[in-house]
Amino acid sequence: MCSDPDSRPPIEPTRSGTAMGHDIGLVAADGDRFAAFRADAGTPSGVGIIVLPDYHGLTEFYRELALRFAEVGVDAVAIDYYGRTAEPPPRHGSFDYLHHAQRTTWNGLRADVGAAASHLRLRRHVKKLFSIGFCFGGRLSFLLGTRPELSMAGVIGFYGWPVGPYMNGMPAPADLSSELQTPLLAVFGGADTKISADDVERFRRSLSEASVPHDIHIYADAPHSFFDRSQAAHAEASAAAWTEVRRFIGVVGG
């Protein structure tokens, strides 16, 4: 189970940073119109990030996370996945997230990410672009490092499925390690009952064999989807992971 649609990120707003958030619509190269949320840094750094949700799509968790990035100078766009098959968010409890996640495609997701990347570069003058994703979005984020047209500076995944088949046919990141062209940061929970230690080790081995610069952090006793305000028992792991994310993208403040 990924984060609940009512979850919030375990990061307090910064006192020093300023940010403004906007609901926006984006259009992919294949014509898909989809919802997104842009968070504008008060003092832009030229660094941007695409926020890739879990299979619940664009919930408040990811809007707030985009704002936390903007507060430390990183322009952010969080995207929704379901423009092709559903009405835009907000969505009610009866919405069948899994059904719509299974109807996404690797080609469609790439097209949507491409639209977000172009938007950040054209509208916010981003020169150094990263991605961060969670669970469903974590796997997607890892794979973006294989796409030369996106020119990613680095990719980050929290408990992204690194091996094996997936519900929508998205490739396994470990199978494409030789095609990765960017540094990679991966965060996993040591008590994750869905992604095993063997899965993580297979991913680590594939990255090492392909000479991909990578940093994998496993937080002992942390479960899947631990990066969540409601997971108070894992607040220390969440804080450490947030520090690693900022270090990876070169933003140490906040």
Side-chain angles (χ1 to χ4, degrees):
M1 179 65 179
C2 294
S3 297
D4 186 273
D6 295 325
S7 297
R8 296 293 185 271
I11 312 160
E12 293 297 326
T14 65
R15 295 183 179 181
S16 57
T18 57
M20 293 185 61
H22 320 264
D23 284 308
I24 61 173
L26 295 176
V27 183
D30 64 358
D32 177 43
R33 296 179 178 274
F34 62 98
F37 178 83
R38 192 182 80 209
D40 300 344
T43 306
S45 61
V47 178
I49 196 161
I50 301 170
V51 179
L52 303 167
D54 62 53
Y55 78 94
H56 289 110
L58 184 57
T59 62
E60 285 306 309
F61 182 105
Y62 297 103
R63 288 184 171 89
E64 284 199 21
L65 183 60
L67 286 167
R68 300 294 85 81
F69 277 111
E71 287 168 354
V72 295
V74 179
D75 289 295
V77 166
I79 70 170
D80 186 59
Y81 300 128
Y82 305 132
R84 293 173 181 82
T85 61
E87 292 298 313
R91 299 182 175 113
H92 302 294
S94 61
F95 184 79
D96 191 344
Y97 297 98
L98 185 58
H99 169 74
H100 289 277
Q102 290 170 335
R103 295 174 68 188
T104 61
T105 65
W106 176 214
N107 286 341
L109 292 168
R110 288 204 320 260
D112 293 350
V113 168
S118 296
H119 184 86
L120 280 169
R121 287 179 169 129
L122 291 172
R123 296 295 297 273
R124 297 298 296 170
H125 309 293
V126 164
K127 295 178 174 59
K128 193 175 181 182
L129 183 62
F130 294 84
S131 63
I132 184 169
F134 295 78
C135 192
F136 180 104
R139 183 169 174 127
L140 175 58
S141 184
F142 293 149
L143 290 169
L144 298 184
T146 70
R147 307 308 304 173
E149 72 275 11
L150 294 174
S151 300
M152 305 300 294
V155 294
I156 305 164
F158 275 61
Y159 23 87
W161 301 79
V163 300
Y166 206 57
M167 57 184 168
N168 64 350
M170 209 181 342
D175 293 343
L176 298 186
S177 288
S178 63
E179 299 179 28
L180 277 164
Q181 303 173 28
T182 66
L184 178 147
L185 171 64
V187 172
F188 296 100
D192 194 328
T193 60
K194 301 177 182 295
I195 300 172
S196 70
D198 286 344
D199 293 340
V200 176
E201 184 53 33
R202 283 175 58 195
F203 190 33
R204 188 198 305 273
R205 203 162 48 241
S206 73
L207 294 168
S208 296
E209 290 171 356
S211 299
V212 175
H214 63 279
D215 198 356
I216 295 179
H217 290 265
I218 303 172
Y219 293 96
D221 302 322
H224 195 78
S225 300
F226 71 86
F227 192 77
D228 186 321
R229 194 177 302 171
S230 68
Q231 298 270 8
H234 308 293
E236 186 174 336
S238 291
W242 180 235
T243 296
E244 289 302 326
V245 167
R246 298 199 317 272
R247 178 198 59 77
F248 184 76
I249 65 178
V251 178
V252 296

